[in-house]
Amino acid sequence: MDAVSPRVPALLLLILALLAPSVASALPWWVEDTGDAEQLRALLDALWPGHPVEVVVGEADFGKEGVSFDGGELVLVSGDRVRFSRSDGDLATQVALVRSWLRETAVTDRGWVPPAPDAVRPGPFAAVFLGGGARLPSTATTSTGDFVLGPASPTALLSVGGGWSWRHARVGALAGLTFGERAGLGSQAVTLTRFLGAATVSVVAHAGELRLENTLGLGVRIASIRAVQGESKAAVRALPGVSVAVRLWGPISDGVWFGGGLGAGFDTAAVAIRVGEAAVPMLLSPVTVTGNIGVLFGGPRQRAITPTHNFL
């Protein structure tokens, strides 16, 4: 008996090691604050004994394995599996969903496995905007050298744009037309119709189902200036310009978004015009501010993931 006894503990340890679940690496589950973390830990212990999840407070690292929730969608990345589903934020439901995902048959080790694709794939987009605004007040110089401040001029806006969109960025082009703009008073009044062509780049932030877009445009503004009185030909001016805009978008159906925001256009110089040989020259402001509403079509879409078989 003395010769056999030392082997019994070793045999038991070997059996326990074979039966014990693997704890080599826990699966992180990112949450925003400690309150959510405590609630999630309690639900995991109650609904999923022996779970492989480690609750982490902080911003999700989408380049690594783990579970994250962006306010509207629950996402799991584990090995070569990517799972995602709409969620109303109920943690108990999310625990049950993640547990069902992880119970799917694991892929056997085949050596190197390519990283899981992003759950959101980029795609083309197009947008149409309507709005209005005002060119900032202009000045006129009198024969004595004085400056006369003219009123701000309202203007209508119509523009279209399109390009390619990722989850947090967009690049494209924008064509815009402003019309109904006037400058000057009385016999020196002129009307302006302006066309803007620009390349645009946008940064998109996510807040649940809402999207906040900040856009910068670089291009050329072409202004057609015509005197209100008389039969003079329209003068055309072309100036490089910069435009900025901020817009908030919300979904109205799959792939269709409605939104609106504010924008401003900055020409590289003011436009000086003269109506008649003896007329006082006018200096038109290079700054226009606008508000607009629009509809956006397309953009990034959820990537179609081929589901694995569940043998449970």
Side-chain angles (χ1 to χ4, degrees):
M1 294 295 295
D2 293 338
V4 177
S5 297
R7 299 178 181 177
V8 175
L11 181 61
L12 290 176
L13 290 175
L14 177 60
I15 294 174
L16 290 175
L18 292 173
L19 295 178
S22 174
V23 293
S25 60
L27 184 70
W29 187 325
W30 290 283
V31 295
E32 293 184 351
D33 52 52
T34 55
D36 289 343
E38 294 177 358
Q39 182 182 1
L40 179 58
R41 291 190 185 100
L43 288 171
L44 287 169
D45 293 339
L47 303 177
W48 192 357
H51 62 81
V53 173
E54 177 186 3
V55 180
V56 179
V57 177
E59 186 175 355
D61 187 344
F62 296 101
K64 297 181 179 180
E65 294 189 354
V67 182
S68 62
F69 178 62
D70 65 0
E73 191 171 67
L74 181 70
V75 178
L76 165 72
V77 178
S78 178
D80 64 345
R81 292 176 294 176
V82 177
R83 302 290 182 270
F84 52 88
S85 176
R86 291 283 183 179
S87 175
D88 60 2
D90 181 71
L91 287 176
T93 303
Q94 292 182 359
V95 169
L97 189 58
V98 172
R99 184 178 184 182
S100 69
W101 286 339
L102 290 179
R103 290 175 66 187
E104 296 176 352
T105 302
V107 178
T108 57
D109 185 8
R110 300 191 302 270
W112 179 83
V113 177
D118 191 347
V120 178
R121 59 182 175 86
F125 75 94
V128 179
F129 304 99
L130 293 172
R135 176 181 42 78
L136 296 188
S138 58
T139 59
T141 305
T142 67
S143 59
T144 60
D146 297 328
F147 288 92
V148 178
L149 185 65
S153 176
T155 181
L157 168 68
L158 171 64
S159 60
V160 295
W164 202 258
S165 181
W166 291 263
R167 181 177 178 87
H168 293 289
R170 293 191 182 110
V171 294
L174 177 72
L177 181 69
T178 58
F179 51 94
E181 185 178 347
R182 294 172 64 95
L185 302 172
S187 62
Q188 298 182 29
V190 297
T191 60
L192 292 93
T193 301
R194 298 193 292 177
F195 172 81
L196 172 67
T200 60
V201 59
S202 303
V203 176
V204 182
H206 295 239
E209 293 191 343
L210 299 179
R211 304 291 183 262
L212 182 64
E213 176 185 2
N214 298 277
T215 301
L216 172 66
L218 299 174
V220 176
R221 192 187 305 274
I222 301 175
S224 174
I225 308 166
R226 183 182 296 274
V228 174
Q229 298 182 7
E231 299 296 331
S232 60
K233 297 176 63 175
V236 177
R237 299 288 187 272
L239 289 172
V242 178
S243 65
V244 293
V246 57
R247 298 185 183 95
L248 185 65
W249 298 99
I252 56 178
S253 66
D254 186 27
V256 181
W257 300 72
F258 177 80
L262 300 174
F266 305 89
D267 297 335
T268 54
V271 176
I273 62 174
R274 183 189 298 270
V275 181
E277 294 297 331
V280 176
M282 289 184 293
L283 190 65
L284 304 186
S285 171
V287 182
T288 302
V289 294
T290 58
N292 58 77
I293 58 174
V295 180
L296 185 145
F297 305 91
R301 306 295 295 272
Q302 297 295 334
R303 186 184 298 273
I305 303 296
T306 303
T308 59
H309 295 287
N310 190 339
F311 295 98
L312 297 178

